[in-house]
Every structure is written in C-alpha cells, then in structure tokens.
Amino acid sequence: QVQLVESGGGSVQAGGSLRLSCAASAYTGRTYCMGWFRQAPGKEREGVASIGRDGTTRYADSAKGRFTISQDNAKNILYLQMNSLKPEDTAMYYCAADVAPVHPATMVVVADGCVYKNWGQGTQVTVSS
C-alpha cells in the first residue's frame, strides 16, 4: 500500500511558476502509473499530466508547453513543474496512482490504461490576474 502526500501549492500571479511535489510512502518507480489531476470549484476532476508504466508522459492540451511532469524514483517523489500559470489553472491539484490506497478508494478514474484509485489530499493552486 502506498500513501501519497502533495505539497508545493500556493498563490501566484499570472505568468508565475510553481512546482508541486507528491511524496509516495513506498517505491512506485515504473511499477505504477502516476498522474496529476485538478478540480476547480463546481467542475469535474480532470487529468493534467501523467507518467505511464513505460515512462510515457501525457499532458492535457491545457498543460502542454507549460507543465512538466517528472519523477525521482530514488526519492519516490512525483513532480509537476508549472510555468506561465493562468487564472484558469486555479484548482485543487491531486496526485494519483494506480495502486491500492491505504484506505478504501473514494474516487476511481480510468485514463490511458491506468486505474487511478489512490489519491493524495490535494494542494491548492491559486493564480491571480
């Protein structure tokens, strides 16, 4: 079982940058898919970026060219570097993995052949204009 803990959110002005981190309590490496999702008030949770079991990275159209997902396998940390932030990027950002959670899954999202059922608590990103 793996527990995920996000950090790095905050408030920035449009055009600024933030780096989100997701610390996993156990090795995830290339064994599991891992991804970043976000949810704005009144909207559904949406995928932002992911790393597949084979290392393939995928990005939502809204994130392409601005966000970069990466993984430090030695430290069991997933990152999301976000540049050129826009007010529409404002949301709660969640780290997720397709590995059994410590507690029963509260949400399951199937995307790109991965079943994301293990979620962190989220970190808030607010971008002001």
Side-chain angles (χ1 to χ4, degrees):
Q1 292 178 326
V2 176
Q3 189 167 7
L4 305 174
V5 179
E6 303 97 332
S7 61
S11 297
V12 296
Q13 290 190 328
S17 298
L18 284 173
R19 188 176 77 159
L20 306 184
S21 299
C22 172
S25 60
Y27 177 75
T28 53
R30 291 287 182 259
T31 305
Y32 312 116
C33 302
M34 294 198 72
W36 288 97
F37 293 75
R38 67 186 182 187
Q39 188 166 18
K43 294 187 177 181
E44 292 187 354
R45 193 168 298 189
E46 62 177 1
V48 176
S50 65
I51 295 180
R53 299 181 189 87
D54 61 356
T56 299
T57 57
R58 294 183 174 87
Y59 296 91
D61 288 342
S62 59
K64 289 179 180 177
R66 300 188 300 127
F67 294 2
T68 302
I69 189 171
S70 61
Q71 192 170 35
D72 185 331
N73 293 332
K75 297 181 179 178
N76 298 335
I77 299 177
L78 183 73
Y79 298 103
L80 184 67
Q81 178 67 44
M82 304 187 295
N83 300 326
S84 302
L85 283 162
K86 304 175 182 180
E88 50 263 45
D89 294 318
T90 295
M92 185 71 78
Y93 282 70
Y94 297 91
C95 170
D98 69 342
V99 62
V102 174
H103 303 291
T106 57
M107 176 177 289
V108 177
V109 173
V110 180
D112 300 318
C114 302
V115 181
Y116 294 98
K117 50 188 174 291
N118 191 330
W119 301 85
Q121 83 287 353
T123 185
Q124 177 68 38
V125 171
T126 302
V127 184
S128 58
S129 57

